[in-house]
Amino acid sequence: MEALIAQIAHIRSARLTRPTSRIRERLGHLPSPVTAQSKQKPVLLPIGSLQSRLEAAKKTAVEQAAKSCFRHGAAGGSSVRVTLTDDPASVDYKVLMSSNRTTYGGSFKGWSANEDHHHITVPRDWRIRVLGRGLATAGGMLTLDLQPLVAHGEIELFQAFWVSQSRGFRVKVHRGVIACLGHESFHADDAENAIKGIMLKQKRAASPARVRTDAYSISVDAFVQRYAAFGEVEVWADDAREVGACEYGIKSWCQAVAIDLSELSTSLSRILEGFRIRPLIEVRRTVLHAVRRHRKSLKLDTL
C-alpha cells in the first residue's frame, strides 16, 4: 500500500513538472525566466462589425470637416448628427436651435441657455467624391456633394452643394459650380463666372508683387505679429475681391469671425484677429494686398 501511494505521488509530480522536464531534456538546462519589460495592455480588436466601424469612420470624417468650418458649441449644449444617404435630393445641412434652463447654476439658475444641433446629410461615398478630391473644406466652406463637369482646359469644374457660415450658429446651403486649378478653388453661381474667378485668383496668387515669399510660409502668429503695426489700416471687401476671393467665401469667413460686411470696411487689426481664428490663404493675401495699397498711398502723398 505504501509503495502504491508513493507511485501515485510520483506520477502526479511528473505531470506537474512535465513541461520543464521536456525543456531540460532538449536543451540540457532551464533558461532563465524572462521578465516583462512593460505592462502594456494587449491589443484588442475594435468593437463592432466591419460595416459599423466603416460607417462610423465616414460619419467622423464629415463631422470633423464641419467643425473645422463652422461655429459650434453653444453654452447649453451642442451636437452633430451625420446621416449617409444614397438619395442626392436629400443632401442637406440644417442647424436646429433650442434652449434649456438646467445649464446655469447659482444666481443664474433658471436662465435660458442656447443649444445648437447640427444635422448633416451627405452621400454615402462622400469621402471618395469630396474628401478624396481635397474639396471637403474648399475656401473655408463645407462641400456636401459634387458632380464633375466637362473640364475647361486645365480647370476642373464641379456642380456642387456647399455650406457657408451665417449669423450665430446658423449656416446657409448653396448650389453652384466650383472651379479648381492647381491648389486654388473658386465658388460661383455658374461655370462661366467660376472660370473667370479661378483664372483671376490664379493670376493674383502667381504674382504677389513686392511681397516677401516667406509671408506665405511663416506661421499664423508670426504673420499677425509682422503686420500688427498696420493695425489702423482700413480693409475693404474689394481688397478680398481683388486677390480673387469669391463672394461666398468672403461672406462665410466674415460671419465666422463676427465681422459685419454691411460696415463696408474694418481695421486690419480686426482682420488679423479673425485670421487667428480661421487662417485661410485668401485672408493672408487680402492682408498683404491692403498693406501694399497703404504703402502705395503713402508714397503718392509724399510726391
Side-chain angles (χ1 to χ4, degrees):
M1 182 63 69
E2 291 178 357
L4 177 61
I5 293 174
Q7 187 65 21
I8 292 173
H10 174 72
I11 293 172
R12 287 179 177 174
S13 176
R15 286 178 176 174
L16 292 174
T17 60
R18 182 181 298 171
T20 57
S21 298
R22 287 183 175 179
I23 293 173
R24 185 181 289 108
E25 290 174 2
R26 294 186 179 184
L27 300 180
H29 67 280
L30 287 177
S32 57
V34 179
T35 58
Q37 298 297 325
S38 61
K39 296 182 179 180
Q40 294 182 351
K41 294 183 179 180
V43 179
L44 303 177
L45 291 174
I47 299 174
S49 65
L50 177 62
Q51 186 63 32
S52 64
R53 298 201 306 270
L54 179 60
E55 185 158 324
K58 292 178 179 179
K59 292 181 178 180
T60 300
V62 178
E63 181 178 346
Q64 290 176 346
K67 286 183 175 181
S68 70
C69 291
F70 305 127
R71 195 179 293 113
H72 62 280
S78 178
S79 68
V80 178
R81 187 183 71 189
V82 179
T83 302
L84 305 177
T85 182
D86 297 316
D87 179 17
S90 57
V91 172
D92 200 4
Y93 192 128
K94 295 181 179 178
V95 179
L96 302 179
M97 299 299 299
S98 60
S99 62
N100 68 70
R101 298 183 181 274
T102 60
T103 299
Y104 300 116
S107 60
F108 301 100
K109 186 175 182 180
W111 285 32
S112 178
N114 290 331
E115 299 177 350
D116 62 298
H117 303 284
H118 301 248
H119 298 172
I120 312 171
T121 305
V122 297
R124 193 170 299 278
D125 57 349
W126 182 86
R127 291 198 302 175
I128 298 174
R129 295 166 65 92
V130 180
L131 185 63
R133 289 187 169 99
L135 295 174
T137 57
M141 296 175 284
L142 177 68
T143 305
L144 296 177
D145 192 12
L146 52 77
Q147 184 68 35
L149 301 174
V150 177
H152 181 80
E154 296 181 351
I155 300 175
E156 294 182 287
L157 298 172
F158 300 93
Q159 189 73 42
F161 284 103
W162 66 86
V163 188
S164 64
Q165 181 72 63
S166 187
R167 290 183 178 276
F169 294 96
R170 302 190 182 279
V171 298
K172 189 174 182 180
V173 180
H174 308 273
R175 179 198 293 268
V177 175
I178 300 177
C180 298
L181 181 59
H183 298 291
E184 304 292 344
S185 62
F186 190 90
H187 299 71
D189 295 331
D190 51 47
E192 182 180 356
N193 288 321
I195 293 171
K196 290 180 180 178
I198 194 65
M199 291 178 68
L200 174 63
K201 192 172 186 178
Q202 182 72 5
K203 181 180 178 181
R204 295 287 190 268
S207 57
R210 297 184 182 179
V211 175
R212 291 166 58 181
T213 55
D214 63 346
Y216 288 97
S217 58
I218 59 176
S219 67
V220 172
D221 290 337
F223 184 86
V224 172
Q225 185 177 1
R226 175 180 293 183
Y227 295 99
F230 299 91
E232 298 303 319
V233 173
E234 282 191 316
V235 181
W236 303 76
D238 283 342
D239 289 320
R241 297 186 183 102
E242 288 177 10
V243 298
C246 64
E247 291 295 326
Y248 297 104
I250 295 171
K251 293 178 181 178
S252 181
W253 186 84
C254 288
Q255 292 285 5
V257 299
I259 291 178
D260 189 359
L261 268 177
S262 64
E263 295 181 359
L264 301 180
S265 69
T266 187
S267 66
L268 185 63
S269 60
R270 182 68 186 87
I271 297 294
L272 292 175
E273 289 176 9
F275 181 69
R276 284 188 186 274
I277 301 171
R278 295 192 183 274
L280 300 184
I281 183 63
E282 290 85 354
V283 182
R284 194 181 291 245
R285 291 171 183 160
T286 302
V287 170
L288 296 173
H289 179 76
V291 171
R292 288 198 304 270
R293 174 175 51 76
H294 174 68
R295 285 171 171 168
K296 185 177 179 180
S297 66
L298 291 180
K299 288 183 178 180
L300 291 176
D301 291 341
T302 58
L303 294 178

